[in-house]
């Protein structure tokens, strides 16, 4: 049996991924031509190692931007659940923690989502630790340890001398994979990893207080409502349905939605409970810091900093959370 | 050094303006967001003025914030922002008297990595076309303002390039939201009747959206580069819009956002128009 803590070299990792590619789609950090992204890779040489973080989260592997879920024909409804095998390589601790929140939302609530669940169960998740904080990152303030997360099957710690990584297997799937593809495992003494979170950024308030005591309009006056923050966020998961007529049968598609869009909660009557942009931002913030915490026990912001880096208008969720904390005192 | 001096000049103009109560708010920039960046800022009191910054990271176009504001505003306008304001005036979206324009010369902006902002290297307008107050940057006088080379590679190559670009698109609409010209209350792509957007977000949907937006910007694009700059996925459809802009310039002699008195090309109805832009219309030469 493989020891839980072993050293493996970069060459061995690449060899393992090349083997895994034979019967699974491997998603790993690679260039999309301009940016680093979690891309389906067919050649291990395309995988980008290093400390840069992909510009968007890997959530769409489990929860695609667009997905045909049901086909209706002749009175029957047939769900199209993916059974494809995936490998996600190089997910950062912020993404792993976020993915675990997504897993809770999609599989532990009142409603189970078989589309997400199947993909999640069919995916081998290999995490990689971060070495440095990037501009905009605030993982330590959101209780995310940039050096380690156990929300995966295999975790590779920081790259050591001679291109060796400390590998920890955290599930049966991970253990089995290591045993199958790596010969002559070198164990190391896992002394554990110490993580002291910085001051924790959280909101200790009721929904009423957030609605009544915070001047949202001036907090997010520069927001353009582009919704990019929600698209690249590792935990944003709102979606909408669209039914279409496709060659004699009806198909139901599920597409991402964004609370930053004016049509997000537009009622058929024409009434919109969140008419203004700042009301929509309030929804985004409260969903992350209040509602998911209440329903699933974890704040749905892991401090990955993507929205902070990407926002064309400089809207900074960390600064906003801090300002709200001050205003509520 | 030069930016510090310009910032001081801008601050003193803004302070005077806010003290005089001629405007309720000044749209400008301050430091913030990710370290080293300069982000949009609304200065409302004379004390706020000390936060205003001007530099080579004033990346974002701030003129669109003026659209729809129902109060008197001051605005720090680099040339592309001033062209946007001019275009809003010609399109009757704002009244010239409702904005106090602090025009500022611009040698081009860089992003957080120090790379030039899309659009900046090709920019041919380095001085604001309209202003009430003018902040000069002597460096613009020595810039090369020759027109950029056409990127037209022929039909097939163009289509291949376009396909590659939209492949990266995640349909978040950041380009639309960042674009000054996309101020429709309901974007065509969001309309249900007719329903322009198929259920599946495939290349066809993306093409409908980007081509639709391009056509709506015919003769209106001021080449600020906001669409490409705001795109987190690194999509560039600006090069197509640029070709349309060039077409309108060549055919109708109209450049967007240069003269508040000029009527926009698409608002002119001429019975002897050759309609070269339409299929079946008279072609070039």
């Amino acid at each position: 049996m493989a020891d839980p803590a072993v050293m493996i070299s970069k060459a061995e990792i690449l060899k393992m991924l090349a083997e895994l590619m034979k019967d699974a789609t491997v998603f790993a950090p690679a260039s999309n031509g301009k940016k680093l992204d979690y891309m389906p890779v067919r050649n291990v040489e395309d995988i980008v190692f290093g400390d840069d973080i992909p510009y968007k989260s890997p959530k769409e592997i489990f929860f695609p931007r667009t997905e045909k879920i049901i086909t209706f024909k002749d009175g029957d409804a047939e769900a199209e659940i993916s059974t494809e095998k995936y490998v996600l390589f190089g997910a950062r601790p912020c993404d792993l923690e976020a993915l675990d929140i997504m897993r809770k939302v999609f599989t532990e609530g009142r409603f189970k989502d078989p589309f997400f669940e199947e993909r999640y169960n069919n995916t081998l998740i290999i995490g990689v630790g971060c070495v440095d904080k990037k501009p905009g990152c605030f993982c330590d303030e959101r209780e995310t340890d940039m050096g380690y997360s156990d929300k995966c099957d295999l975790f590779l710690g920081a790259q050591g001398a001679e291109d060796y990584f400390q590998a920890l297997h955290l599930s049966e799937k991970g253990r089995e994979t290591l045993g199958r593809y790596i010969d002559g495992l070198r164990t190391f003494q896992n002394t554990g990893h110490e993580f002291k979170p910085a001051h924790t950024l959280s909101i200790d308030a009721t929904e009423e207080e957030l609605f009544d005591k915070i001047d949202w309009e001036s907090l997010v006056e520069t927001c353009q409502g582009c919704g990019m923050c929600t698209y690249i966020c590792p935990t944003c998961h709102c979606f909408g349905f669209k039914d279409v007529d496709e060659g004699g049968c009806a198909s139901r598609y599920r597409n991402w939605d964004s609370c930053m869009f004016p049509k997000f909660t537009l009622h058929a009557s024409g009434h919109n409970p969140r008419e203004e942009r700042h009301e929509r931002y309030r929804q985004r913030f409260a969903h992350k810091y209040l509602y998911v915490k209440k329903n699933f026990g974890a704040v749905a912001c892991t401090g990955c900093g993507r929205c902070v880096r990407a926002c064309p208008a400089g809207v900074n969720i960390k600064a906003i959370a801090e300002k709200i904390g001050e205003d509520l005192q | 050094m030069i930016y510090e001096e310009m910032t001081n000049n801008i601050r003193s103009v803004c302070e005077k303006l806010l003290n005089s109560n001629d405007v309720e708010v000044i749209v400008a920039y301050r430091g913030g967001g990710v370290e080293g960046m300069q982000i949009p800022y609304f200065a409302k009191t004379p004390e706020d003025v000390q936060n205003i910054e001007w530099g080579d990271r004033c990346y974002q176009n701030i003129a669109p914030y003026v659209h729809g504001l129902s109060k008197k505003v001051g605005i720090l306008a680099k040339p592309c922002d001033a062209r946007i304001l001019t275009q809003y005036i010609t399109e009757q979206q704002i009244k010239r008297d409702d904005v106090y324009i602090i025009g500022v010369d611009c040698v081009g902006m860089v992003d957080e990595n120090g790379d030039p902002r899309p659009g900046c290297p090709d920019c041919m307008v380095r001085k604001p076309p309209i202003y009430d107050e003018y902040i000069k940057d002597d460096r613009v006088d020595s810039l090369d303002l020759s027109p950029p080379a056409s990127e037209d590679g022929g039909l097939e190559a163009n289509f291949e390039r376009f396909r590659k670009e939209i492949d990266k698109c995640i349909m978040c609409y950041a380009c639309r939201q960042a674009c000054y010209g996309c101020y429709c209350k309901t974007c065509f792509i969001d309309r249900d009747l007719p329903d322009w957007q198929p259920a599946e977000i495939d290349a066809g949907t993306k093409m409908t959206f980007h081509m639709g937006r391009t056509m709506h910007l015919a003769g209106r694009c001021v080449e600020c580069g906001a669409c490409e700059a705001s795109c987190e996925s690194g999509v560039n459809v600006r090069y197509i819009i640029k070709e349309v802009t060039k077409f309108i310039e060549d055919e109708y002699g109209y450049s967007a956002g240069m003269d508040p008195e000029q009527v926009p090309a698409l608002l002119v109805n001429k019975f002897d128009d050759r309609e070269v832009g339409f299929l079946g219309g008279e072609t070039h030469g």
Side-chain angles (χ1 to χ4, degrees), chain A residues 122-140:
Chain A
N122 286 335
T123 306
L124 174 77
I125 302 171
I126 306 174
V128 172
C130 274
V131 180
D132 288 313
K133 268 172 85 174
K134 274 58 98 181
C137 286
F138 57 106
C139 46
D140 51 343

Side-chain angles (χ1 to χ4, degrees), chain B residues 36-55:
Chain B
M37 288 305 286
Q38 282 153 337
I39 59 175
Y41 178 56
F42 292 8
K44 288 160 191 160
T45 65
E47 292 74 51
D48 287 348
V49 163
Q50 289 316 308
N51 297 327
I52 292 179
E53 273 184 28
W54 170 250

Side-chain angles (χ1 to χ4, degrees), chain B residues 65-285:
Chain B
Y65 290 120
V66 172
H67 188 266
L69 276 188
S70 52
K71 41 188 157 192
K72 282 206 131 185
V73 291
I75 176 162
L76 179 65
K78 57 182 179 285
C80 48
D81 280 311
R83 288 182 72 187
I84 291 170
L85 294 168
T86 309
Q87 196 63 17
Y88 280 153
I89 293 163
T90 61
E91 293 179 6
Q92 300 180 24
Q93 296 300 309
I94 58 171
K95 291 197 177 77
R96 178 67 184 92
D97 295 343
D98 289 347
V99 280
Y100 189 91
I101 303 170
I102 306 155
V104 51
D105 287 347
C106 177
V107 294
M109 295 293 152
V110 293
D111 67 11
E112 66 272 26
N113 304 319
D115 299 327
R117 178 194 146 116
C120 289
D122 293 343
C123 179
M124 295 193 291
V125 183
R126 300 295 188 165
K127 293 168 187 277
I130 54 168
Y131 51 81
D132 296 298
E133 194 89 36
Y134 175 49
I135 312 280
K136 196 169 165 41
D137 185 338
D138 290 328
R139 294 174 300 171
V140 299
D141 295 328
S142 53
L143 289 176
D144 173 23
L145 298 183
S146 52
S150 168
E151 293 178 53
D152 184 357
L155 196 60
E156 244 164 71
N158 286 350
F159 187 70
E160 186 54 25
R161 178 173 180 191
F162 181 65
R163 205 190 50 74
K164 273 198 183 135
E165 289 295 342
I166 61 169
D167 215 31
K168 293 180 273 184
C169 173
I170 60 174
M171 294 287 274
C172 69
Y173 308 117
C175 48
R176 175 186 77 188
Q177 297 301 119
C179 178
Y180 96 87
C182 283
Y183 55 71
C184 289
K185 279 195 176 132
T186 308
C187 176
F188 78 99
I189 203 80
D190 284 339
R191 286 189 180 278
D192 297 324
L193 290 170
D195 196 348
W196 287 91
Q197 183 171 337
E200 195 175 11
I201 300 161
D202 56 8
T205 315
K206 292 179 190 179
M207 191 164 164
T208 307
F209 170 63
H210 287 295
M211 284 302 182
R213 212 177 74 79
T214 301
M215 294 316 289
H216 287 187
L217 285 169
R220 300 176 59 226
C221 176
V222 298
E223 304 188 322
C224 64
C227 50
E228 192 184 341
S230 69
C231 182
E232 189 56 12
S233 304
V235 179
N236 169 14
V237 284
R238 198 170 57 84
Y239 78 98
I240 294 185
I241 302 174
K242 229 160 73 182
E243 293 301 322
V244 177
T245 302
K246 192 173 169 294
F247 174 83
I248 299 279
E249 277 172 3
D250 292 349
E251 200 59 40
Y252 299 100
Y254 178 75
S255 294
M258 296 306 291
D259 176 2
E261 303 295 324
Q262 207 181 358
V263 183
L266 289 193
L267 293 188
V268 179
N269 181 24
K270 273 194 201 151
F271 290 104
D272 59 351
D273 190 334
R274 293 188 297 134
E275 298 195 338
V276 284
F278 292 89
L279 284 178
E282 215 177 296
T283 47
H284 280 285

Side-chain angles (χ1 to χ4, degrees), chain A residues 55 221-222 224 242 263 312, chain B residues 44 60 65 172 190 197 233:
Chain A
Y55 86 94
E221 60 192 357
T222 58
Q224 300 176 335
K242 197 160 180 176
K263 269 174 74 176
Chain B
K44 288 160 191 160
Q60 186 64 25
Y65 290 120
C172 69
D190 284 339
Q197 183 171 337
S233 304

Side-chain angles (χ1 to χ4, degrees), chain A residues 2-278:
Chain A
D3 194 277
V6 299
M7 302 290 279
I8 53 177
S9 69
K10 187 177 162 185
E12 283 170 324
I13 292 168
L14 292 178
K15 202 183 94 192
M16 177 177 84
L17 290 171
E19 287 296 323
L20 288 167
M21 263 174 214
K22 286 180 183 164
D23 58 0
T25 308
V26 174
F27 292 87
S31 170
N32 78 354
K34 201 161 172 183
K35 302 254 183 175
L36 190 66
D37 191 5
Y38 292 106
M39 307 269 286
V41 285
R42 290 198 172 70
N43 198 335
V44 286
E45 274 112 59
D46 293 341
I47 299 174
V48 176
F49 282 77
D51 205 34
D52 285 345
I53 177 168
Y55 86 94
K56 62 182 160 59
S57 86
K59 70 178 172 190
E60 62 192 284
I61 298 168
F62 309 93
F63 169 49
R65 291 199 298 272
T66 182
E67 166 180 30
K68 191 201 273 190
I69 54 170
I70 304 175
T71 311
F72 305 92
K73 197 178 185 185
D74 302 330
D76 286 332
E78 197 183 315
E80 304 198 7
I81 299 177
S82 162
T83 53
E84 258 188 87
K85 277 204 154 100
Y86 294 143
V87 175
L88 166 59
F89 174 78
R92 299 311 170 110
C94 51
D95 289 331
L96 295 171
E97 297 294 329
L99 197 53
D100 197 54
I101 293 163
M102 295 278 271
R103 183 190 58 79
K104 285 182 182 154
V105 171
F106 280 100
T107 67
E108 287 187 358
R110 230 169 1 124
F111 303 101
K112 269 198 180 11
D113 187 294
F115 308 99
F116 181 98
E117 195 174 27
E118 262 319 287
R119 285 202 182 87
Y120 189 85
N121 291 339
N122 286 335
T123 306
L124 174 77
I125 302 171
I126 306 174
V128 172
C130 274
V131 180
D132 288 313
K133 268 172 85 174
K134 274 58 98 181
C137 286
F138 57 106
C139 46
D140 51 343
E141 292 184 53
R142 277 297 324 123
E143 300 172 318
T144 305
D145 177 0
M146 71 172 175
Y148 178 65
S149 166
D150 60 2
K151 310 292 191 313
C152 55
D153 300 303
L154 268 178
F155 189 84
L156 304 178
Q159 194 169 350
E162 293 170 24
D163 266 2
Y164 274 86
F165 291 82
Q166 301 185 345
L168 297 168
H169 60 77
L170 299 151
S171 74
E172 180 55 31
K173 218 172 4 177
R175 189 190 71 80
E176 196 261 330
T177 308
L178 269 190
R180 185 180 329 159
Y181 298 114
I182 315 284
D183 326 309
L185 291 164
R186 291 155 296 275
T187 59
F188 73 98
Q189 189 58 43
N190 184 24
T191 50
H193 176 83
E194 205 177 319
F195 170 59
K196 283 201 195 85
H199 142 82
T200 300
L201 193 66
S202 64
I203 298 297
D204 185 21
T206 61
E207 188 181 30
E208 285 72 25
E209 284 173 314
L210 273 195
F211 271 62
D212 300 338
K213 292 191 179 163
I214 303 299
D215 180 6
W216 290 95
E217 195 166 356
S218 66
L219 260 187
V220 291
E221 60 192 357
T222 58
C223 174
Q224 300 176 335
C226 71
M228 183 164 34
C229 48
T230 60
Y231 272 55
I232 60 174
C233 173
T235 63
C236 273
H237 54 263
C238 289
F239 55 81
F241 294 112
K242 197 160 180 176
D243 292 349
V244 288
D245 172 2
E246 276 185 341
C249 55
S251 300
R252 174 163 298 170
Y253 283 87
R254 166 159 83 177
N255 296 321
W256 287 4
D257 202 348
S258 165
C259 56
M260 305 311 289
F261 295 160
K263 269 174 74 176
F264 180 64
T265 43
L266 181 64
H267 296 181
S269 65
H271 170 67
N272 191 342
R274 301 189 194 104
E275 194 97 48
E276 300 293 330
R277 207 167 277 168
H278 65 268

